[in-house]
Amino acid sequence: MSMADANSGRRFVSIWGNAVSVGEARPESYGKDITLRYPVYSAFDGDAVRLTYDNYCGTEQVTISQVSIMVKNPSDDTAEKEFFPVTFRGSRSCVIPAGSRVCSDELSLDVKAGSTFDVSMYLGDYTQLRSCVFTCGALSDGAQFASGNLTGSETFPKELSRPTHYFYFLSNVSLRTDKKNRAVVCYGDSITAQNWPDDLAVMLKSRQIGDTSVIRRATSGSRILREYTCLTYQSYGLKGSRRFAHEVPTDGADTIIIQQGINDILHPVGTDINPFRPMSDLPTAGELTEGLAYYVKLARSYGYKVYAGTLLPIGGWRTYAPFRETLRNDVNEWIRSTDMIDGVVDFDNALADPEDKTRMLPEYDSGDHLHPSKSGYRKMAQLVADNAAIFEKRAGYSH
């Protein structure tokens, strides 16, 4: 933050964010002459934007040929859209080496609280589409891609475009805003990559909590302690020791909600069933809680308040077994009793069937007995929104 911003009482705060994980290995893992467009919701007003593009999981450099921001007038859908070119050290394009990220120049832009603008990225030459993440939810479902350079087009032709839930390279959008505004980071696996962080942002808006953005850092299939090196499961992402320090430091964030660990418990099945999932990968409760404690210590080093979410019921999931249930309960007991964190979000208790605590209530179960339904995700978001301590002001904090 510049001295001028400090003196004016303004700073950059993240309004949108995703993790960067490993794209699924496919023969067509390169793209050329395509435009990707992502909707970005802002919880608060601001006057300048900067974007972060991340090639953390790439194995070769990529070139972003062109980026633009399209601003809509939320009160007039018929009004002409405005386009703003994004630059990187004065250039319209940027090169991101493998394992690196770049930040755009600051773009002066009037952004209103509760509005959404579109970020469009054009990839002109052959580009390795490896650094990406799957995300869905009420504020994320408008993403799409199209053939050709359409960074200056209001709409994508239907015959040249498709919706997508894969977010490539764009990992963060920060807004210069009043210093009272802040971000809360939601960190985890597929359960957090899906709806509840978006549902939380919508609830905060409806409750007129206008000083907090919700930033998602979640990768489907990821574990705290292990990661896959085989081509089949590489897209399940990096282990926590390679993710957390890269993803979690976030402009203006002062709080994190951690909800991860269920994949560590569910994935190992034995090499007689799956050669890539040995039972030796199954952690003890002590190893899992040590992994969570590692997260907490890192988050404390960033100055964050730390909340942990309990692991959801898994009864009925295809690899469910009593020993996995015992392990889940042991981890949840640690989360509920540890004095290392500022508070617990008891997702387990809120979504469990009172008649059978090993399972989610049917109305909260998507049907696979692992991921919540839409109403289950709304229940998770409500549980966080109702926790007043998460949204208390932190005087003097500036990240």
Side-chain angles (χ1 to χ4, degrees), residues 11 178-185 211-212 250 252-257 296 298-307 342 388-399:
R11 60 173 179 155
D178 192 287
K179 65 180 181 181
K180 71 178 176 65
N181 295 325
R182 42 83 79 144
V184 169
V185 176
D211 64 350
T212 301
T250 296
D254 65 6
T255 300
I256 185 169
I257 302 166
V296 175
L298 270 183
R300 293 291 189 209
S301 74
Y302 311 144
Y304 290 0
K305 289 198 300 182
V306 182
Y307 292 81
D342 294 282
I390 294 175
F391 304 101
E392 288 175 350
K393 305 283 188 181
R394 297 191 64 192
Y397 178 81
S398 177
H399 179 64

Side-chain angles (χ1 to χ4, degrees), residues 251-274:
D251 290 340
D254 65 6
T255 300
I256 185 169
I257 302 166
I258 300 167
Q259 208 274 339
Q260 194 187 23
I262 202 65
N263 291 323
D264 294 75
I265 295 171
L266 292 178
H267 279 207
V269 293
T271 54
D272 55 326
I273 298 173
N274 189 315

Side-chain angles (χ1 to χ4, degrees), residues 20-25 29-31 54-60 62 98 127-133 166-169 228-231 234-235 238 242:
V20 173
S21 190
V22 182
E24 186 176 353
S29 293
Y30 285 77
D54 198 334
N55 191 26
Y56 186 48
C57 295
T59 59
E60 57 190 65
V62 300
T127 306
Q128 184 190 43
L129 297 175
R130 180 176 166 88
S131 291
C132 73
V133 73
Y166 288 92
F167 289 72
Y168 293 90
F169 307 119
Y228 294 101
T229 57
C230 60
L231 205 61
Q234 268 187 338
S235 63
L238 307 177
R242 296 221 287 154

Side-chain angles (χ1 to χ4, degrees), residues 223 228 267-272 274-282:
R223 294 177 284 175
Y228 294 101
H267 279 207
V269 293
T271 54
D272 55 326
N274 189 315
F276 303 120
R277 297 186 173 188
M279 285 304 295
S280 58
D281 274 1
L282 185 73

Side-chain angles (χ1 to χ4, degrees), residues 185 187 192 196 224 255-260 289 292-293 295-296 299-300 305-311 331-338 340-348 380 383-384 387 390:
V185 176
Y187 177 89
T192 300
W196 78 261
I224 297 174
T255 300
I256 185 169
I257 302 166
I258 300 167
Q259 208 274 339
Q260 194 187 23
T289 57
L292 289 170
Y295 286 168
V296 175
R300 293 291 189 209
K305 289 198 300 182
V306 182
Y307 292 81
T310 50
L311 304 181
V331 172
N332 281 348
E333 179 58 30
W334 182 87
I335 291 171
R336 293 182 179 115
S337 61
T338 182
M340 291 186 67
I341 60 178
D342 294 282
V344 177
V345 185
D346 203 339
F347 296 129
D348 172 40
M380 292 177 71
L383 205 65
V384 176
N387 191 323
I390 294 175

Side-chain angles (χ1 to χ4, degrees), residues 88-107:
F88 303 83
R89 296 186 178 182
S91 173
R92 289 300 308 275
S93 67
C94 71
V95 175
I96 316 174
S100 299
R101 55 187 166 194
V102 299
C103 191
S104 74
D105 301 329
E106 296 178 14
L107 171 65

